[in-house]
Amino acid sequence: MARVEQIVGFLRTCYIREVWKMDEQGATLALDYFRRQVHGPAFADEDEDAAAYHQALEFFRSHGQSLDWIHDGNPVGMICGLAKVSPRAGVLAANRVSVDPILAAIETHQIASADYSAAICDVVPGTLDPDPIKEELFGDREAEARGELATSVPTTLAGLLHLLTYVEEVSDGKYSASGRRDNSFDRDDLLNVIISAQDCVKGRNESRHRSPTNRNRSSGQYCRVCRSADRAR
């Protein structure tokens, strides 16, 4: 509770940047949730608790705060998060993208996949089940990154090799905590990878990314039929 109050206080009073303004309503909802967890009154049921927790998570997410720090006092996420947006990281990312943007897409999915694996391993106390809110949140992020990766066209043959190798390694369980095969790249994802590989080989770099209008907004993934139709034209 003290860390939540500290975060809200700093975001409200400290200089962040020009035109910065904290979301006061979101801060109030986040504070109210944690105060009720500590001091009561208890929520009416699990659904009410989950809805309030989701609102608190949204405040922290939109303001770039670390859940590891909030819940456990673990500063690793904050340290690594700042390093991610540091000038050093920017230089490295620019150099990597200038070679082939598929490399950055691979890294993004690798991070999202690791975050999702960690989320589903973090079980709710007294149960064998993961936190459903975290599972959905990080699962959606992994699906988004996977869809972006599968529908991105490498600009070099070296990048194409990296993509195919990475997909094979994921499927073989190289990045799985259990070491077992990982079927996160489903049939549609693999079909999109094949289409992207064909586009790369044919030199169709102008179709590097699918238009946002071709996205399946209900699932957060890309519409495979639209991609096939684009190729047919």
Side-chain angles (χ1 to χ4, degrees):
M1 183 65 223
R3 288 189 290 270
V4 176
E5 292 175 336
Q6 187 180 49
I7 287 172
V8 171
F10 287 155
L11 292 176
R12 179 181 288 134
T13 61
C14 293
Y15 177 81
I16 308 297
R17 57 167 296 166
E18 292 182 7
V19 307
W20 168 263
K21 182 176 177 61
M22 184 184 71
D23 176 7
E24 292 288 348
Q25 181 180 6
T28 298
L29 292 173
L31 286 169
D32 285 347
Y33 174 80
F34 282 92
R35 283 171 179 158
R36 289 185 66 174
Q37 289 291 334
V38 175
H39 304 296
F43 291 97
D45 52 39
E46 185 177 334
D47 289 340
E48 184 184 16
D49 187 312
Y53 182 54
H54 185 76
Q55 290 177 322
L57 286 181
E58 177 57 26
F59 170 76
F60 296 129
R61 183 202 65 78
S62 64
H63 289 66
Q65 299 306 302
S66 168
L67 291 179
D68 289 335
W69 168 253
I70 292 166
H71 286 296
D72 306 319
N74 185 343
V76 172
M78 294 191 297
I79 294 171
C80 295
L82 288 173
K84 183 179 180 180
V85 296
S86 66
R88 169 68 175 169
V91 170
L92 294 175
N95 290 341
R96 193 167 193 181
V97 170
S98 67
V99 176
D100 192 328
I102 198 67
L103 301 179
I106 291 172
E107 182 177 12
T108 297
H109 177 261
Q110 193 169 359
I111 293 172
S113 181
D115 288 344
Y116 175 63
S117 295
I120 61 176
C121 289
D122 184 15
V123 300
V124 176
T127 75
L128 297 177
D129 300 320
D131 184 324
I133 296 177
K134 288 185 178 180
E135 182 179 15
E136 180 179 3
L137 175 65
F138 289 103
D140 287 347
R141 291 181 183 177
E142 186 278 331
E144 180 81 12
R146 175 163 34 89
E148 181 68 22
L149 174 60
T151 55
S152 296
V153 179
T155 59
T156 64
L157 291 179
L160 174 58
L161 179 60
H162 276 289
L163 171 62
L164 298 177
T165 300
Y166 175 69
V167 171
E168 181 180 20
E169 289 176 344
V170 170
S171 300
D172 287 343
K174 178 178 179 178
Y175 304 100
S176 171
S178 65
R180 293 193 293 267
R181 289 186 60 82
D182 185 339
N183 297 319
S184 57
F185 283 92
D186 61 19
R187 179 182 178 278
D188 288 335
D189 292 323
L190 295 176
L191 177 60
N192 271 330
V193 170
I194 292 173
I195 293 173
S196 295
Q198 291 174 334
D199 286 349
C200 175
V201 173
K202 291 179 180 179
R204 294 181 57 184
N205 293 336
E206 70 276 8
S207 60
R208 187 174 304 170
H209 292 287
R210 184 170 305 150
S211 168
T213 58
N214 288 339
R215 295 197 62 170
N216 182 334
R217 300 182 186 278
S218 63
S219 66
Q221 297 190 14
Y222 288 84
C223 175
R224 278 78 183 178
V225 175
C226 294
R227 179 63 178 267
S228 299
D230 289 343
R231 286 178 51 75
R233 288 197 294 270

